[in-house]
């Protein structure tokens, strides 16, 4: 049968002072283990020699809480090689490696126990430690190992065992069975059975003296079973179970005594020593009464050397080690203890390098639990999972049906709750030390009424605690109470759940202020309960969801809790994709309500964390969650305006394709008093309809005027024909195909001097519809002067457009121009033309430009018109201008006409072509 194998440390690559590798040879609650030198080179190695050649069945490693190696490799050898000579390193055969957790989830407050099932023969075991996991506590980049345990068989015994197994198999098929069938199938008859007393967790949490007594009693129990003294065996079994609890308590006392010595608090150390001696004496007296203790069992093991547990630089050195009854450390140190005390078989064994033969490969361990899928990794790189309980897993009480509850009630008619199981005793041992086993048994009872009564009794006990009670006792009681409250918050019975909330509220608002405990205790209460409460907000029962959410909101507003700013930090944690719908909706609703109550000033809520959470929630699969996120963002914008925009995508057409962002940006517009897109579209539609209506009216009026003109023209032509006069075109002697000759297509003036050169001169100096750009000296139409200055002029970069008057203004003068608001606002292009010379609005259309620029009542700033009006009396009658009856508006012209200084601008050319 496999058992613990003793070993000695042969060599190590180095160690820090006071943390030699030889510490690994001792298993006790106060050992400090091996620690590598500061800023060492990697890898580090340790070589162990077992007391004899053996077949290793199981390895157990207890890692440090923050000096954690990323990977540990295992090598085995039949004999000790000269390890200083690298060329002889092949004498060690590689078994594989195991990866260690970085411990970030526990805040580096827990130690990880790795259990590895192997099957390898040898006498020397080498461990190679690779680069450490980085964290804020490990400032010297060290790796450490607190303890290692080797379980196996002597190699010769293993061979004999294999032979015996073969012989037994043959006897089985031959029908021969000399063994007692009553013992078949029991653990003690299995060749691969490993006793719990050989487990590393047993030695690391037991007082060494009590551990030795337990082992002796276990031997006696096996002898009693062989001799069929079952009553005696039963008594020994109960004594062993009781002594395990005694050993754990004495182990904690020893730890507290060592910590007191480390801090030079010798009064406390003396008190702990006396407490241990008194408790040990009482236990031994009870054992003697039952004839279970004799001189052989009283042989005490060698005392361990006195060394501090924690040294400077340890994150646990900042605060004193917890006193015995404190259950909170069992909660955080559950991260320390539970993984070791509740082991489960490993999913598979060590990874074997491909170069090893099939004989060397390690067999997988049987596992009733689901296996971890590591098939995607290369064979040699598959990590070995630890046999440990994952930190942070919620312990959910199994749901009970009505029949179960009624059965539990019938089972509890005796008036007392049922006794605690061994598992419950281990889990709640610290609470039992403080509150008593009766009260804790009630809290653990299967009958809901006992659970409720236990909480009410605890409520009464805390209310009646006198003011002068020592602070340490008050803190221990508080932490034990929080342990039971956490369990009760998970209860499926509403009355138990409500009783836990009542007790929690009393502790925060009355117990802590009454006894003047520090804010650390309040923070402990909140941090230990708020995750469980948030989980209950996702309960399937609507009543429990609402109760939990309302209590969280109420607790966040307690003056004792509000200043800690703890609850807001939990509410802005991103929603998990696999979280329940109810949980996500409750978290969003709580965030929205508490934002209104607390705001973002010194409350734990900030613009950054709220906006990042809300924007990420816009992608949640649940509509109600997205809708609440939109509401939160709008509320934040109402308070902080532009600071919110940097967390959102730009407001453009692509973004607005998403209906949520469209809703958000339209909400921003309403908050700012700006018209929304829908309102802008409605206004533009109304303006367009108004312009169309006005245009139709103008067309109708012009059509009426045109009809009247046609009538007058018809009358004049009839009169001319009767008087013997020709039509004007015929009178001028101009054929239709030469009608555009000698004609200015811009102003409509006709002159025989308008040859190609004459027209250029006319455009350059005299045409009333054109002007010269003062900046590039090009001739442009007055109607397109603004467009020319902004887009075509050589100096266009120096101009900007005023959004009020729509004219081109020098950029350096534009801010003052806009600020003064002295310009005449322009009307839409469909409603009016805008003159860049006199800055006035006038009726739309091409003909309106002629009337404005050439008419006597038009533009007063057209210098060419002023010059012509001054010269008009001096003109000879034969040189008077004539405008074609049909006008130039319907004619077609060629491309750009050159001018003495380079010709018309592009805008004029386009107008020319358009005409």
């Amino acid at each position: 049968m496999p058992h613990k194998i003793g070993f000695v440390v042969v060599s190590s690559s180095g160690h820090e002072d006071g943390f030699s590798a030889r510490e690994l040879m001792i298993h006790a609650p106060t050992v400090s283990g091996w620690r590598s030198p500061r800023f060492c080179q990697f890898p580090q190695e340790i070589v162990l020699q077992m007391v004899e050649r053996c077949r290793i069945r199981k390895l157990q490693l207890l890692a440090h809480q923050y000096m954690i190696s990323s990977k540990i490799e295992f090598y085995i050898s039949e004999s000790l090689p000269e390890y200083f000579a690298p060329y002889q390193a092949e004498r060690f055969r590689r078994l594989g490696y195991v990866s260690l957790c970085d411990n970030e989830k526990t805040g580096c407050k827990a130690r990880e126990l790795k259990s590895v099932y192997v099957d390898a023969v040898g006498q020397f075991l080498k461990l190679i430690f690779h680069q450490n996991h980085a964290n804020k506590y490990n400032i010297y980049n060290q790796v450490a190992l607190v303890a290692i345990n080797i379980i196996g068989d002597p190699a010769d015994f293993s061979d004999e065992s294999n032979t015996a197994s073969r012989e037994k198999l043959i006897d089985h098929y031959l029908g021969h069975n000399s063994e007692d069938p009553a013992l078949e199938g029991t653990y003690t008859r299995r060749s691969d059975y490993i006793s719990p007393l050989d487990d590393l967790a047993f030695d690391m949490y037991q007082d060494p003296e009590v551990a030795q007594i337990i082992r002796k009693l276990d031997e006696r129990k096996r002898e009693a079973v062989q001799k069929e003294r079952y009553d005696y065996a039963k008594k020994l079994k109960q004594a062993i179970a009781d002594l395990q609890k005694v050993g754990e308590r004495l182990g904690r006392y020893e730890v507290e005594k060592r910590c007191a010595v480390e801090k030079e608090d010798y009064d406390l150390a003396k008190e702990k020593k006396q407490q241990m001696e008194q408790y040990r004496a009482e236990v031994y007296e009870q054992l003697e009464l039952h004839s279970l203790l004799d001189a052989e069992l009283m042989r005490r093991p060698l005392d361990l050397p006195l060394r501090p547990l924690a040294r400077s630089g340890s994150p646990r050195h900042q605060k004193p080690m917890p006193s015995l009854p404190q259950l909170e450390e069992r909660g955080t140190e559950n991260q320390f203890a539970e993984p070791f005390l509740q082991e489960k078989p490993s999913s598979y064994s060590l990874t074997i390098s491909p170069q090893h033969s099939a004989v060397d490969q390690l067999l997988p361990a049987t596992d009733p639990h689901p296996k971890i899928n590591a098939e995607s990794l290369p064979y040699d790189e598959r990590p070995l999972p630890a046999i440990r309980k994952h930190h942070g897993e919620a312990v959910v009480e199994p749901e009970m049906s009505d029949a179960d509850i009624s059965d539990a009630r019938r089972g509890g008619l005796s008036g007392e709750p049922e006794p605690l199981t061994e598992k419950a005793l281990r889990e709640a041992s610290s609470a039992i030390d403080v509150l008593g086993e009766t009260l804790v048994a009630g809290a653990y009872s299967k009958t809901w009424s006992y659970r409720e009564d236990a909480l009410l009794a605890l409520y009464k006990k805390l209310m009646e605690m006198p003011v002068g009670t020592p602070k340490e006792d008050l803190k221990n009681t508080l932490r034990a109470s929080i342990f039971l409250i956490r369990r009760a918050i998970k209860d499926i019975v509403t009355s138990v759940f409500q009783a836990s909330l009542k007790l929690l509220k009393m502790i925060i608002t009355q117990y802590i202020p009454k006894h003047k405990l520090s804010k650390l205790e309040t923070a402990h209460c909140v941090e230990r309960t708020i995750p469980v409460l948030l989980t209950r907000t996702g309960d399937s029962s609507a009543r429990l969801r609402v109760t939990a959410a309302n209590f969280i909101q109420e607790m966040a507003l307690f003056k004792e809790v509000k200043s800690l700013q703890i609850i807001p930090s939990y509410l802005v944690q991103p929603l998990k994709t696999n979280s329940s719908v109810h949980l996500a909706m409750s978290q969003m609703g709580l965030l929205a309500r508490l934002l209104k109550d607390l705001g973002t000033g010194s409350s734990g809520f900030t613009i950054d964390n709220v906006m990042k959470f809300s924007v990420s929630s816009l992608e949640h699969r649940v509509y109600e969650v997205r809708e609440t996120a939109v509401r939160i963002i709008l509320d934040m914008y109402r308070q902080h305006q532009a600071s919110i925009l940097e967390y959102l995508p730009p407001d453009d057409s692509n973004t607005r394709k998403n209906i949520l962002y469209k809703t958000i940006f339209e909400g921003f517009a309403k908050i700012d008093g700006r018209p929304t897109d829908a309102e802008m579209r409605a206004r533009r539609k109304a303006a367009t309809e108004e312009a169309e209506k006005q245009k139709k009216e103008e067309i109708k009026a012009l059509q009426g005027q045109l009809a009247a003109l046609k009538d007058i023209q018809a009358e004049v032509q009839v009169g001319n024909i009767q008087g013997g006069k020709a039509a004007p075109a015929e009178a001028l002697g101009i054929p239709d195909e030469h009608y555009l000759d000698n004609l200015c297509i811009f102003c409509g003036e006709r002159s025989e001097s308008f040859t190609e050169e004459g027209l250029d001169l006319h455009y350059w100096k005299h045409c009333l519809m054109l002007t010269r750009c003062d900046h590039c000296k090009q001739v442009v139409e007055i109607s397109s002067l603004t467009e020319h200055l902004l887009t075509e002029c050589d100096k266009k970069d120096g101009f900007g457009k005023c959004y009020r008057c729509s004219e081109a203004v020098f950029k350096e003068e534009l801010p003052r121009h806009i600020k003064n608001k002295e310009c005449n606002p322009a009307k839409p292009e469909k409603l009016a033309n805008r003159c860049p010379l006199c800055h006035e609005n006038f009726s739309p259309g091409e003909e309106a430009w002629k009337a404005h620029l050439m008419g006597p009542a038009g533009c007063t700033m057209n210098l060419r018109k002023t010059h012509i009006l001054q010269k008009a009396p001096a003109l000879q009658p034969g040189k008077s201008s004539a405008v074609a009856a049909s006008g130039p508006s319907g004619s077609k012209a060629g491309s750009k006409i050159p001018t003495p200084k380079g010709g018309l601008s592009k805008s004029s050319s386009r107008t020319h072509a358009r005409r």
Side-chain angles (χ1 to χ4, degrees):
M1 185 174 69
H3 60 273
K4 178 179 289 193
I5 303 295
F7 62 86
V8 294
V9 177
V10 176
S11 67
S12 68
S13 53
H15 62 84
E16 185 180 356
D17 292 342
F19 296 93
S20 169
R22 297 186 182 276
E23 291 287 326
L24 298 175
M25 297 160 56
I26 303 171
H27 293 170
T30 55
V31 297
S32 51
W34 168 79
R35 190 176 295 181
S36 70
R38 297 181 177 183
F39 301 113
C40 62
Q41 293 183 347
F42 290 98
Q44 293 281 304
E45 72 173 43
I46 296 176
V47 178
L48 309 178
Q49 179 181 2
M50 288 163 279
V51 294
E52 58 184 333
R53 180 175 177 270
C54 65
R55 180 180 296 275
I56 301 176
R57 303 289 189 179
K58 183 178 180 181
L59 294 173
Q60 290 182 299
L61 305 175
L62 181 57
H64 196 268
Q65 61 265 34
Y66 62 88
M67 298 182 186
I68 308 169
S69 174
S70 59
K71 184 170 71 172
I72 301 177
E73 290 186 89
F74 300 95
Y75 292 81
I76 195 165
S77 175
E78 296 281 352
S79 60
L80 180 65
E82 297 179 8
Y83 52 87
F84 292 107
Y87 60 87
Q88 292 185 352
E90 68 273 9
R91 295 176 64 179
F92 271 106
R93 178 166 52 87
R94 184 176 186 269
L95 297 178
Y97 75 92
V98 65
S99 298
L100 298 179
C101 176
D102 58 13
N103 223 2
E104 287 183 359
K105 291 183 178 179
T106 68
C108 296
K109 295 180 181 178
R111 291 175 178 173
E112 182 180 10
L113 177 68
K114 287 279 190 180
S115 293
V116 183
Y117 285 93
V118 298
D119 187 6
V121 177
Q123 190 172 1
F124 295 90
L125 180 69
K126 180 165 68 173
L127 285 74
I128 295 182
F129 298 80
H130 290 266
Q131 183 69 43
N132 62 290
H133 285 297
N135 58 65
K136 63 181 179 180
Y137 302 114
N138 193 1
I139 57 178
Y140 301 117
N141 293 332
Q142 296 171 274
V143 293
L145 185 65
V146 178
I148 180 171
N149 190 30
I150 304 174
I151 297 176
D153 303 320
D156 297 337
F157 175 81
S158 299
D159 297 337
E160 293 174 3
S161 175
N162 293 336
T163 303
S165 298
R166 287 193 296 270
E167 291 176 355
K168 185 165 66 173
L169 185 63
I170 295 172
D171 290 339
H172 173 74
Y173 281 104
L174 294 176
H176 302 153
N177 191 0
S178 59
E179 297 183 4
D180 185 357
L183 295 177
E184 287 296 328
T186 60
Y187 280 110
T188 54
R189 299 293 296 174
R190 285 173 45 186
S191 61
D192 59 346
Y193 171 70
I194 299 175
S195 171
L197 305 183
D198 289 332
D199 195 276
L200 181 59
F202 177 79
D203 283 327
M204 295 305 293
Y205 295 101
Q206 286 287 336
D207 175 73
E209 181 178 331
V210 175
Q212 184 161 329
I213 294 174
I214 290 174
R215 286 193 173 94
K216 293 292 184 180
L217 291 179
D218 187 65
E219 291 177 7
R220 291 187 177 184
K221 184 186 72 172
R222 289 199 299 270
E223 292 174 1
V225 171
Q226 292 291 336
K227 296 177 181 179
E228 298 186 355
R229 298 176 59 191
Y230 298 124
D231 290 336
Y232 185 52
K234 180 180 178 182
K235 184 187 295 186
L236 289 170
K237 176 185 175 183
Q238 185 61 44
I240 290 172
D242 294 338
L243 279 174
Q244 285 181 344
K245 292 183 285 185
V246 170
E248 288 182 15
R249 181 179 296 186
L250 288 173
R252 289 197 298 272
Y253 287 165
E254 182 66 27
V255 170
E256 292 166 6
K257 185 182 74 174
R258 295 292 177 91
C259 289
V261 172
E262 176 74 10
K263 293 183 291 186
E264 298 185 355
D265 187 351
Y266 301 118
D267 291 335
L268 179 60
K270 180 180 179 182
E271 178 186 343
K272 291 297 177 183
K273 178 182 178 182
Q274 294 173 349
Q275 192 175 8
M276 290 176 63
E277 292 174 350
Q278 180 182 355
Y279 185 52
R280 195 187 302 273
E282 292 175 357
V283 172
Y284 289 167
E285 183 179 354
Q286 291 292 323
L287 292 175
E288 288 174 354
L289 287 176
H290 294 85
S291 302
L292 297 174
L293 196 66
D294 54 27
E296 181 187 2
L297 297 182
M298 286 299 295
R299 288 182 303 187
R300 304 184 64 165
L302 295 176
D303 290 335
L304 296 176
L306 186 65
R307 280 200 184 91
L309 272 186
R311 305 182 72 85
S312 60
S314 170
R316 297 171 61 190
H317 184 68
Q318 272 49 341
K319 53 185 178 182
M321 286 293 290
S323 60
L324 173 65
Q326 281 186 333
L327 195 56
E328 185 262 345
E329 279 301 314
R330 287 295 278 202
T332 60
E333 291 281 341
N334 250 353
Q335 305 160 355
F336 180 87
E338 280 188 358
F340 318 142
L341 300 181
Q342 299 179 6
E343 282 193 32
K344 297 179 181 178
S346 175
S347 297
Y348 48 84
S349 193
L350 272 173
T351 303
I352 303 303
S353 301
Q355 61 266 28
H356 296 319
S357 65
V359 177
D360 295 331
Q361 294 190 4
L362 309 181
L363 298 176
T366 57
D367 182 13
H369 302 282
K371 294 188 177 182
I372 300 173
N373 182 15
E375 297 299 328
S376 59
L377 296 175
Y379 184 75
D380 193 42
E381 292 301 317
R382 295 177 192 169
L384 179 69
I387 304 178
R388 67 190 188 279
K389 181 177 177 181
H390 294 288
H391 303 300
E393 290 183 355
V395 182
V396 182
E397 185 176 355
E399 294 190 1
M400 298 174 63
S401 63
D402 293 340
D404 294 333
I405 293 175
S406 62
D407 290 341
R409 286 179 180 173
R410 285 195 296 272
L413 292 178
S414 61
E416 292 184 1
E418 60 273 18
L420 291 168
T421 63
E422 290 189 16
K423 178 182 176 182
L425 284 169
R426 287 179 178 275
E427 181 180 301
S429 58
S430 297
I432 293 172
D433 294 339
V434 180
L435 303 176
E437 187 169 350
T438 303
L439 193 149
V440 176
Y444 271 75
S445 174
K446 295 180 180 179
T447 307
W448 68 265
S449 59
Y450 286 146
R451 300 198 297 271
E452 183 182 11
D453 291 343
L455 294 176
L456 297 177
L458 182 55
Y459 184 98
K460 182 178 179 182
K461 179 177 180 178
L462 295 181
M463 289 293 290
E464 294 175 353
M465 287 195 74
V467 176
T469 307
K471 296 287 186 184
E472 193 66 25
D473 293 342
L474 292 171
K475 292 179 181 179
N476 294 339
T477 305
L478 180 144
R479 297 186 177 221
S481 302
I482 292 298
F483 174 82
L484 296 183
I485 288 172
R486 273 176 55 87
R487 180 180 177 85
I489 288 174
K490 303 170 188 175
D491 205 295
I492 61 173
V493 180
T494 305
S495 59
V496 179
F497 174 64
Q498 291 176 339
S500 68
L501 300 185
K502 178 182 177 182
L503 179 58
L504 178 59
K505 180 178 179 180
M506 184 273 292
I507 289 175
I508 294 175
T509 59
Q510 298 180 46
Y511 181 83
I512 293 177
K514 174 184 175 182
H515 299 287
K516 298 180 181 179
L517 298 179
S518 66
K519 287 186 177 181
L520 290 176
E521 305 307 320
T522 306
H524 171 75
C525 295
V526 177
E527 289 176 344
R528 297 293 293 164
T529 56
I530 191 64
V532 193
L533 281 170
L534 283 172
T535 303
R536 293 313 300 268
T537 62
D539 200 277
S540 57
S541 169
R543 182 180 179 186
L544 289 177
R545 287 200 305 271
V546 172
T547 303
N550 289 342
F551 183 80
I552 291 174
Q553 184 178 4
E554 181 184 3
M555 183 167 64
L557 298 177
F558 292 160
K559 63 180 181 180
E560 297 84 3
V561 178
K562 186 176 180 180
S563 60
L564 298 176
Q565 303 180 11
I566 295 176
I567 295 179
S569 65
Y570 280 92
L571 294 180
V572 293
Q573 294 297 321
L575 296 172
K576 296 181 180 178
T577 54
N578 58 348
S579 62
S580 69
V581 174
H582 294 312
L583 182 60
M585 290 171 59
S586 298
Q587 184 173 341
M588 291 297 298
L590 271 172
L591 176 61
R593 297 204 299 271
L594 282 178
L595 263 178
K596 293 180 179 179
D597 294 335
L598 300 176
T600 54
S602 301
S603 65
F605 290 126
T606 64
I607 297 175
D608 184 68
N609 61 28
V610 173
M611 284 303 300
K612 285 181 178 178
F613 173 79
S614 301
V615 172
S616 65
S617 300
L618 292 174
E619 300 177 1
H620 200 272
R621 68 184 190 278
V622 180
Y623 168 75
E624 289 81 359
V625 173
R626 300 194 299 269
E627 189 179 41
T628 307
V630 171
R631 192 167 68 250
I632 291 173
I633 292 173
L634 292 178
D635 289 341
M636 291 291 290
Y637 184 80
R638 195 172 285 109
Q639 298 175 32
H640 304 285
Q641 298 291 325
S643 302
I644 303 303
L645 298 178
E646 62 185 72
Y647 298 93
L648 298 171
D651 183 10
D652 53 30
S653 57
N654 288 332
T655 304
R656 285 182 177 258
K657 290 179 182 178
N658 186 319
I659 189 65
L660 291 175
Y661 285 115
K662 180 180 178 182
T663 304
I664 290 171
F665 287 122
E666 288 188 352
F668 290 169
K670 288 182 180 179
I671 293 171
D672 294 339
R674 296 181 283 109
T676 63
D677 273 2
E679 293 172 345
M680 290 289 290
R681 285 195 299 270
R683 291 184 182 182
R684 285 196 295 267
K685 184 178 179 181
T688 304
E689 291 176 353
E690 182 66 24
E692 291 291 336
K693 183 180 178 181
Q694 186 175 352
K695 184 177 179 180
K696 288 179 180 179
E697 291 177 354
E698 291 178 355
I699 291 173
K700 187 177 180 180
L702 289 173
Q703 286 174 345
Q705 294 176 7
L706 181 60
L709 288 173
K710 285 182 178 179
D711 292 341
I712 295 172
Q713 187 178 10
E715 293 176 0
V716 171
Q717 287 179 351
V718 170
N720 289 339
I721 291 172
Q722 292 175 353
K725 295 183 179 180
E730 294 175 355
L732 294 173
I734 302 173
D736 291 342
E737 61 270 16
H738 298 289
Y739 179 74
L740 293 178
D741 294 346
N742 307 116
L743 175 70
C744 174
I745 62 172
F746 295 104
C747 65
E749 181 179 354
R750 184 184 297 276
S751 174
E752 293 181 1
S753 63
F754 286 175
T755 59
E756 185 173 350
E757 292 79 7
L759 277 173
D760 285 346
L761 182 61
H762 173 75
Y763 294 152
W764 183 249
K765 288 187 176 182
H766 307 299
C767 183
L768 302 182
M769 300 294 291
L770 306 177
T771 187
R772 272 183 295 174
C773 175
D774 294 334
H775 305 284
C776 65
K777 303 306 180 183
Q778 282 192 349
V779 176
V780 297
E781 282 188 275
I782 296 173
S783 60
S784 60
L785 178 60
T786 300
E787 181 184 359
H788 166 78
L789 291 174
L790 293 173
T791 62
E792 298 175 353
C793 183
D794 295 342
K795 307 292 185 180
K796 62 182 178 182
D797 293 335
F799 288 93
K801 186 176 182 179
C802 173
Y803 71 91
R804 282 172 54 84
C805 62
S806 300
E807 293 188 25
V809 182
F810 283 112
K811 286 186 177 179
E812 56 267 21
E813 298 179 5
L814 186 59
R816 180 179 57 80
H817 175 86
I818 295 174
K819 184 177 180 181
N820 292 339
K821 297 182 180 180
E822 295 177 352
C823 56
N824 182 24
K827 294 182 180 181
E829 186 177 353
K830 293 183 178 181
L831 299 181
N833 289 325
R834 174 79 176 189
C835 179
L837 301 181
C838 64
H839 314 298
E840 295 293 336
N841 299 316
F842 54 92
S843 57
E846 294 285 347
E847 295 300 326
W849 277 105
K850 284 188 178 182
H852 178 72
L853 295 174
M854 299 174 62
C859 181
T860 59
M861 301 301 293
N862 191 348
L863 300 180
R864 292 187 178 187
K865 184 180 73 169
T866 306
H867 179 68
I868 290 176
L869 289 176
Q870 291 174 353
K871 290 177 62 178
L875 287 175
Q876 298 179 4
K879 297 293 184 180
S880 60
S881 63
V883 179
S886 62
S889 59
S891 63
K892 302 289 182 182
S895 60
K896 175 177 171 182
I897 300 173
T899 65
K901 292 293 183 177
L904 292 170
S905 70
K906 294 178 183 178
S907 57
S908 298
S909 300
R910 287 197 299 270
T911 307
H912 187 184
R914 187 169 64 249
R915 291 174 179 276

